[in-house]
Amino acid sequence: MKLNPEELEEMIEPVEKTDLIYGIDDRPPFKEALFAALQHLLAIFVAIITPPLIIAGALKLDLETTGFLVSMALFASGISTFIQCRRIGPIGAKLLCIQGTSFSFIGPIITAGLAGGLPLIFGACIAAAPIEMVISRTFKYMRSIITPLVSGIVVLLIGLSLIKVGIVSCGGGYGAMDNGTFGSIRNIGVAATVLLSVLFFNRCKNKYLRMSSIVLGLCIGYALAYFLGMVDMAAASSQSLMGFNIPMPFKYGLDLNFSAFVAIGLVYLITAIEATGDVTANSMISGKSIEGEGYLKRVSGGVLADGVNSFIAGIFNSFPNSIFAQNNGIIQLTGVASRYVGYYIAGMLVLLGLFPVVGVVFSLMPDPVLGGATLLMFGTVAAAGIRIIASQEINRKATLVLAVSLSLGLGVELMPDILNTAPEAIKGIFSSGITTGGLAAIFANVLIRVKEDKTE
């Protein structure tokens, strides 16, 4: 049998000893592959649908549009996961890498949406996606600029800014602000029930309860909200629950401005670094080397797929995708690293995206139910940023970079009126604390030079 150079290279590449039951290129039997795929699906489903629900809530979109955005998020995640696992040409890590809608873009997307609606969102996401594609070809040079310290600061700012979004949902969302019920006992009680349920199941010894803790918490909160009369079933027509969702490229049109491009482009820079870490961790867990040509090919392909998949997602009216780190834990838990399991996951996600009932059911979910779950998830994002920062040596230079970026980033987030008299172009770029803090971190890291006094 004649092997092509790529197959020969992968056979020669050293494989680390692991406790895996099925390796990357093994093909598990149907039942075992399906069971492993279902476990991954439980871990990612809520994370995929949450960003479109939050964005739709902030933009006050109608039920039909919200349901369609949720469905397209699932559909785009399925396509993206298949590309990552399969590798098409240079595109894809060829690992069991699961892709889903990224939380990191929520802040800049909401800002863009408030300025220009869905056309501006999708236009900016598509236009900025090539940034990550370019970085995938040169990421080893970019890492000297976007260091782990810079990446950690941006991840921390993303988490902190999203916590505000989670709190708004816990209080009842923007609709509750308009009708005067924001922060009512009923809203806070439902959100607290979901939060406590998620914590309870996450602390259980049973691994299946832990993996599905967020799904179970949402189900409990949804049921409680229904009995309290918070679910408006009349809003869902029988037509919206039947038939299929036909993906329609550019359904909402495209628009673009420089401010939205810069804000979203910066997040693409950071997700490229995050994707590098995710592919590295996945390689280690899967028994592959994390050095050499094979490793560089996996990382480069994974980051390139991140950008290409986000571009495709924008075409199909969905938001940027990124590799989900939580699935690395499930690979360890199940002992199944086979990329062929990713094909099952991709198929499930595409099928779920084609049925309108899935999007409508989750679109009817009251804001406090979603808020109770996302508050914990967003806090975890902030905690991840702190862990990345803490893994670095916090010397005088690092302290100054932290001080400058956090002061500016959180300052804009807490007091946006500081930009009221600024030109529109400046206001558009720096109105997001993530963008302001992220740019400050990059420039401060490059420009600040501190000579440490070894006698201190």
Side-chain angles (χ1 to χ4, degrees):
M1 182 177 68
K2 190 176 180 181
L3 298 174
N4 63 42
E6 182 181 336
E7 292 173 326
L8 187 61
E9 179 187 323
E10 290 182 357
M11 288 181 66
I12 295 171
E13 185 182 1
V15 177
E16 305 294 327
K17 186 177 179 181
T18 67
D19 294 325
L20 293 174
I21 302 170
Y22 295 105
I24 290 171
D25 292 308
D26 294 336
R27 293 177 181 260
F30 173 76
K31 287 183 179 179
E32 294 181 36
L34 185 63
F35 185 65
L38 284 170
Q39 292 182 73
H40 280 280
L41 193 65
L42 278 175
I44 63 174
F45 184 79
V46 174
I48 290 172
I49 66 170
T50 296
L53 288 175
I54 291 172
I55 292 165
L59 302 183
K60 299 181 181 178
L61 302 178
D62 58 54
L63 182 67
E64 182 183 351
T65 304
T66 303
F68 186 78
L69 292 179
V70 170
S71 293
M72 288 304 99
L74 293 166
F75 178 80
S77 295
I79 294 175
S80 302
T81 296
F82 176 80
I83 291 172
Q84 279 287 14
C85 297
R86 176 72 178 84
R87 186 190 285 164
I88 300 173
I91 306 169
K94 209 173 181 180
L95 297 168
L96 182 51
C97 283
I98 314 302
Q99 291 237 201
T101 323
S102 174
F103 281 96
S104 303
F105 292 84
I106 291 176
I109 282 177
I110 290 174
T111 302
L114 292 172
L118 291 176
L120 181 56
I121 290 173
F122 295 128
C125 289
I126 290 172
I131 292 174
E132 190 167 9
M133 300 180 207
V134 171
I135 292 171
S136 73
R137 307 289 93 181
T138 60
F139 79 95
K140 54 186 174 183
Y141 307 110
M142 292 297 294
R143 293 191 76 178
S144 63
I145 299 172
I146 306 177
T147 62
L149 175 65
V150 172
S151 182
I153 290 169
V154 175
V155 173
L156 175 59
L157 285 169
I158 288 170
L160 293 176
S161 64
L162 288 177
I163 286 172
K164 178 184 175 182
V165 176
I167 286 291
V168 169
S169 294
C170 288
Y174 293 98
M177 288 182 179
D178 293 339
N179 62 30
T181 61
F182 185 79
S184 66
I185 295 296
R186 187 173 69 165
N187 289 339
I188 298 297
V190 169
T193 300
V194 175
L195 177 61
L196 293 173
S197 298
V198 172
L199 288 172
F200 172 78
F201 290 116
N202 202 265
R203 293 290 299 160
C204 288
K205 293 182 179 179
N206 185 295
K207 61 183 180 181
Y208 302 109
L209 290 178
R210 283 205 312 273
M211 284 189 296
S212 55
S213 59
I214 294 176
V215 175
L216 291 172
L218 285 175
C219 288
I220 291 171
Y222 211 144
L224 177 60
Y226 178 80
F227 286 116
L228 291 174
M230 298 170 67
V231 182
D232 183 13
M233 298 301 294
S237 63
S238 58
Q239 288 82 8
S240 66
L241 298 174
M242 303 297 288
F244 292 92
N245 265 328
I246 300 174
M248 295 175 59
F250 309 114
K251 179 177 180 178
Y252 301 102
L254 297 177
D255 193 8
L256 184 62
N257 67 37
F258 184 69
S259 301
F261 175 82
V262 171
I264 290 173
L266 176 66
V267 185
Y268 274 119
L269 283 174
I270 303 307
T271 52
I273 303 299
E274 290 178 1
T276 300
D278 291 333
V279 174
T280 302
N282 195 306
S283 297
M284 291 175 63
I285 293 166
S286 303
K288 290 289 187 179
S289 173
I290 54 170
E291 54 187 26
E293 286 301 315
Y295 165 68
L296 289 176
K297 190 171 184 179
R298 280 192 296 277
V299 171
S300 182
V303 177
L304 177 59
D306 233 34
V308 170
N309 290 335
S310 293
F311 187 91
I312 293 171
I315 291 173
F316 285 103
N317 314 288
S318 187
F319 307 113
N321 271 237
S322 63
I323 299 172
F324 277 2
Q326 60 261 47
N327 293 91
N328 291 337
I330 296 176
I331 292 173
Q332 287 183 303
L333 188 69
T334 60
V336 178
S338 170
R339 61 191 178 89
Y340 295 100
V341 171
Y343 298 172
Y344 290 81
I345 300 167
M348 291 175 184
L349 289 170
V350 168
L351 283 175
L352 287 169
L354 294 177
F355 289 98
V357 64
V358 177
V360 172
V361 166
F362 283 96
S363 300
L364 288 169
M365 183 186 298
D367 283 304
V369 178
L370 187 64
T374 55
L375 196 60
L376 190 63
M377 294 162 70
F378 295 156
T380 304
V381 174
I386 293 171
R387 286 178 60 187
I388 296 170
I389 294 169
S391 68
Q392 307 304 303
E393 181 187 356
I394 309 299
N395 53 24
R396 283 171 57 202
K397 176 181 176 177
T399 301
L400 288 172
V401 172
L402 272 166
V404 170
S405 51
L406 291 179
S407 297
L408 293 177
L410 290 177
V412 169
E413 198 69 39
L414 295 171
M415 191 53 65
D417 291 346
I418 190 72
L419 298 171
N420 278 352
T421 59
E424 284 301 316
I426 299 296
K427 191 187 297 184
I429 295 171
F430 294 103
S431 59
S432 164
I434 299 168
T435 309
T436 304
L439 288 173
I442 291 171
F443 285 114
N445 190 53
V446 171
L447 297 175
I448 292 176
R449 294 285 184 268
V450 175
K451 187 175 181 182
E452 294 290 342
D453 187 350
K454 301 297 183 183
T455 63
E456 287 184 358

